[in-house]
Amino acid sequence: CARDEKEARAVGQTKWQEEAEQTRGVSGAMSLTFDVTERIPLLLVHGVCHLLGHDHIEDDDYEGMVAEEERLIGELKARGLLGGGLGESGGH
């Protein structure tokens, strides 16, 4: 039935939005774009965080890394080096 299909799509979309809202840092930004030219800078931010000694294996490590990713994403956006909607899924 068309009504059931429409309802199932609405539930799926709501679930996807909830999951995207819970994701922060580079993961959150990556969930908002599929354009390779926007994803490459995000992957570079993620890699730089690893080079600076951050990791995301344990929850505490994840929180520290995400905070640094969000700080770097915000800095890049402020300097006009990263596109508009990226990195806005988390709390800056």
Side-chain angles (χ1 to χ4, degrees):
C1 160
R3 180 175 156 216
D4 291 338
E5 183 179 324
K6 184 176 181 180
E7 185 175 314
R9 286 182 192 214
V11 168
Q13 181 67 24
T14 300
K15 180 68 175 160
W16 180 84
Q17 287 172 334
E18 289 172 357
E19 289 173 1
E21 288 171 3
Q22 293 174 4
T23 307
R24 299 175 23 228
V26 167
S27 296
M30 293 275 283
S31 72
L32 299 174
T33 183
F34 298 98
D35 183 321
V36 71
T37 61
E38 293 177 349
R39 288 184 134 207
I40 289 173
L42 297 173
L43 291 170
L44 288 171
V45 165
H46 187 78
V48 165
C49 286
H50 279 299
L51 291 172
L52 293 173
H54 294 283
D55 208 337
H56 47 82
I57 296 172
E58 302 294 328
D59 288 344
D60 290 343
D61 297 334
Y62 171 81
E63 289 300 321
M65 184 161 178
V66 167
E68 184 64 7
E69 287 175 345
E70 290 176 342
R71 185 189 73 75
L72 291 171
I73 289 169
E75 187 69 30
L76 291 171
K77 286 172 56 178
R79 294 173 185 251
L81 300 173
L82 196 59
L86 296 177
E88 293 180 1
S89 66
H92 321 282

